[in-house]
Amino acid sequence: MPLSERQLASFADKHAWQIPFDTSPRHLAGPGDARHITHGLAVAGWQRTSDPLSPEMVLTSPDHRYSLGFDPGAGMSAWWRLWAERTDNEHGWYAHFGELAPAEIICGLTDALVTPTPPADTTPLDVLDAAGWLIDAQGAASSPDGTCRIERHAEERDDSEVSWHIQVRDPDRGRYGPRLWEARFAARTPRPLVNAFVTTLADPNPLQRGMHDRTAHYSVVQKPSPLTPKQVVAAHTARLDTIRARARAARRQHSRPSTHPAPDATRTPARR
């Protein structure tokens, strides 16, 4: 499913006439434009494998191991579902994201999936601690405004497998108020992908939304953005160009033949 000029033009047409507003905190910014996610996967070679006429959409990676499903009829808890099939060498895993999860934050994960980088020796809590989030005695992290909480759950007694649960609550009701959206990462989700998600989540920079875009809560702060509509579209296009180039480089690397010569079966072993 290569991204067509018509599809990119449709994104540009929508945003070219929409005055952007800086919206923060970003976990309350609302879903935004889902094409931030789908365009990024398309330029990395993912294909739509679901019925084109169905409201549910499934995109599948070129190697058929990963799939991302979007189902607007699934309720608020899980509009987006990402799963990885088990292989001979790697475990399967899944993650899901609620209706009001900002597309740009989900992109932190999907971009890292299609353009992997060498893993760092850090945990999601290390990332959040460095971003100024509060880490409590139970090992959970809370955003500076207290509305977003990230918890780790050990699936094994030795802490060898950990799942992660993110919840964003109504600011008016505190930690136990109504849930606005959630995300879950199953045990065995690769740590670099969880790190990428929480890095994007904790980024203090605002997200851009139009004046009448849906947000997660009325208390979100919106100010006229210094970015022009043209710059918003240009940033999207530049990101896609980067993903496309990195995905091509990764494919070339994987298809490159080994530089090590095969052993010569006719050669007589050296005497000891």
Side-chain angles (χ1 to χ4, degrees):
M1 187 185 68
L3 188 65
S4 69
E5 292 296 328
R6 180 181 61 81
Q7 290 168 326
L8 192 56
S10 177
F11 178 93
D13 286 345
K14 174 188 175 182
H15 292 273
W17 303 102
Q18 189 176 62
I19 298 175
F21 282 77
D22 284 350
T23 305
S24 59
R26 52 176 48 202
H27 52 269
L28 295 180
D33 194 325
R35 288 173 292 188
H36 287 295
I37 302 169
T38 57
H39 283 189
L41 295 178
V43 298
W46 289 43
Q47 300 278 343
R48 179 164 184 163
T49 53
S50 53
D51 181 353
L53 299 182
S54 170
E56 180 182 1
M57 176 179 61
V58 177
L59 300 178
T60 304
S61 64
D63 63 2
H64 301 286
R65 186 188 177 201
Y66 303 102
S67 295
L68 178 74
F70 173 74
D71 184 2
M76 291 183 63
S77 62
W79 273 35
W80 297 93
R81 295 179 182 270
L82 176 66
W83 63 95
E85 300 291 344
R86 183 175 182 175
T87 70
D88 292 339
N89 301 317
E90 298 179 273
H91 296 289
W93 54 269
Y94 70 89
H96 67 71
F97 312 93
E99 175 185 359
L100 295 176
E104 296 92 334
I105 296 177
I106 300 175
C107 284
L109 170 62
T110 55
D111 286 3
L113 179 63
V114 299
T115 59
T117 57
D121 188 23
T122 56
T123 71
L125 292 180
D126 294 331
V127 173
L128 295 168
D129 185 39
W133 287 39
L134 176 65
I135 312 297
D136 65 22
Q138 287 74 43
S142 297
S143 60
D145 67 352
T147 61
C148 183
R149 181 176 173 85
I150 301 177
E151 299 175 345
R152 64 189 298 277
H153 300 280
E155 305 294 324
E156 300 291 341
R157 290 184 178 181
D158 61 358
D159 253 14
S160 60
E161 294 183 11
V162 175
S163 62
W164 297 89
H165 185 201
I166 295 94
Q167 295 187 84
V168 177
R169 299 280 183 176
D170 187 328
D172 293 338
R173 304 284 293 276
R175 176 178 168 183
Y176 300 102
R179 185 177 62 217
L180 300 178
W181 63 268
E182 70 171 347
R184 289 184 181 271
F185 296 91
R188 297 175 176 172
T189 302
R191 185 192 294 175
L193 299 182
V194 184
N195 283 350
F197 180 87
V198 300
T199 297
T200 312
L201 174 67
D203 188 337
N205 292 310
L207 297 176
Q208 278 70 49
R209 293 289 183 265
M211 180 181 294
H212 302 294
D213 280 352
R214 184 184 183 188
T215 60
H217 195 261
Y218 71 86
S219 65
V220 72
V221 177
Q222 291 190 296
K223 300 178 181 179
S225 175
L227 298 177
T228 66
K230 185 176 181 179
Q231 288 173 319
V232 171
V233 174
H236 179 70
T237 303
R239 170 175 156 264
L240 298 182
D241 289 341
T242 298
I243 293 173
R244 184 184 292 109
R246 290 181 177 175
R248 286 175 178 172
R251 286 195 294 269
R252 286 195 299 268
Q253 182 68 27
H254 290 156
S255 62
R256 185 176 302 167
S258 173
T259 57
H260 299 288
D264 187 349
T266 64
R267 183 176 299 171
T268 303
R271 294 178 181 270
R272 291 182 180 267

